[in-house]
Amino acid sequence: MSTPYSTIIEAFLKWVEEDIDFFHYFNLSDEEAMKLAETRSRDFLNEAVGRLTLECEPQVDFNDCDDDGFCFELTSKEIYLISSLMYERYLDRDFSKIKLYNVNFSSADLNVFDPSNARKTFVTIYEKVESRNEKLID
């Protein structure tokens, strides 16, 4: 049996389903935008698997794959873990932007363009996801 990438990507897309920017792109049809979102998701999948293999020794060989998916069956827990790691990588992109805002803008600018409470909430969410993933990997 095997696990298609689409199964993991669908699980990840549920994590980001409320992010309109992830699914809508200027001058693209809904179909083209979804294809781009799936392509971006595949990049997050590769990053998640990379992190997982660096932080632990999986019982499966993630290199055992083809163009459509992994050539082994992942459990629902493993799919959850990988999609959660994908979500962390997704949040990490915005986390980097927050750090950039702190460097490039004064505190007065940030209060106008990026309220402090929103930044703090985002950082808390990111840290919670990161902590959960550490526990799941263990």
Side-chain angles (χ1 to χ4, degrees):
M1 301 200 75
S2 63
T3 303
Y5 296 132
S6 61
T7 300
I8 302 165
I9 289 172
E10 286 174 18
F12 166 69
L13 292 178
K14 290 177 183 172
W15 291 90
V16 297
E17 67 187 350
E18 296 298 322
D19 182 355
I20 293 175
D21 293 334
F22 192 81
F23 296 97
H24 297 284
Y25 302 91
F26 188 67
N27 287 334
L28 291 182
S29 68
D30 288 344
E31 184 177 297
E32 291 169 325
M34 189 59 181
K35 188 160 184 76
L36 182 56
E38 289 171 355
T39 299
R40 291 180 64 203
S41 298
R42 182 76 180 267
D43 292 338
F44 290 123
L45 173 60
N46 290 334
E47 291 178 29
V49 167
R51 176 169 173 210
L52 185 60
T53 57
L54 286 172
E55 293 198 19
C56 67
E57 293 184 32
Q59 296 177 355
V60 296
D61 180 8
F62 281 100
N63 292 318
D64 185 12
C65 58
D66 57 27
D67 290 339
D68 297 321
F70 297 108
C71 299
F72 50 86
E73 190 72 26
L74 289 170
T75 66
S76 60
K77 289 180 182 179
E78 292 165 332
I79 291 169
Y80 179 85
L81 169 60
I82 294 170
S83 65
S84 184
L85 288 169
M86 292 168 68
Y87 183 60
E88 181 181 334
R89 298 306 307 153
Y90 162 79
L91 291 175
D92 190 54
R93 303 292 199 278
D94 286 337
F95 188 74
S96 298
K97 290 177 191 174
I98 287 176
K99 286 185 175 184
L100 183 63
Y101 284 137
N102 289 338
V103 171
N104 290 333
F105 295 102
S106 70
S107 59
D109 292 334
L110 288 173
N111 285 333
V112 173
F113 297 112
D114 189 15
S116 181
N117 286 338
R119 286 194 325 257
K120 286 179 186 175
T121 300
F122 178 82
V123 169
T124 300
I125 290 169
Y126 176 79
E127 289 171 347
K128 182 178 177 182
V129 169
E130 189 177 42
S131 175
R132 179 188 61 222
N133 286 341
E134 290 289 333
K135 290 176 186 172
L136 288 171
I137 288 173
D138 285 343

